[in-house]
Each structure stands twice: as structure tokens, then as C-alpha cells.
Amino acid sequence: MTEAMRAAIEESELVTKKDLQIELALIKADLNLLKWIMGALIAIAIANFSKQFL
């Protein structure tokens, strides 16, 4: 029984907390970039809109 468990554990690819943190860090970096881009686009849209009335 112990040998079967050991073999199953060695063959499986376990995901550790560190692996998840690395992947989530990449996703968070992408989201932060998207936030900045969306903020810039909204600022440009507001500037163009307000320019029509000035």
C-alpha cells in the first residue's frame, strides 16, 4: 500500500502554493497594465468630450 502511494505521488504533478503565487503574479501584472491603459483611454475620451464645449 505504501509503495503504491509513493509511486502515485511521484508520477503526479502537484501544484504548490508557490507555483500558484508565481502564476497569479503574472496575471496581476497584466491586470495592472490594463487598468492603466483603460484609465488613459477614459481620460482621453473625457478630454475630447470636454473640448467640444470649450
Side-chain angles (χ1 to χ4, degrees):
M1 181 76 167
T2 310
E3 195 63 36
M5 287 294 289
R6 184 176 292 129
I9 290 172
E10 287 176 0
E11 291 176 9
S12 67
E13 293 184 24
L14 297 176
V15 177
T16 63
K17 187 175 182 179
K18 187 71 172 173
D19 294 333
L20 288 175
Q21 288 174 345
I22 291 170
E23 290 298 320
L24 288 177
L26 296 173
I27 294 170
K28 286 180 182 179
D30 288 342
L31 285 177
N32 283 335
L33 178 63
L34 287 174
K35 286 180 189 177
W36 277 98
I37 291 171
M38 288 302 297
L41 288 174
I42 291 171
I44 291 170
I46 291 171
N48 284 337
F49 182 74
S50 65
K51 192 174 184 181
Q52 291 177 358
F53 297 107
L54 295 178

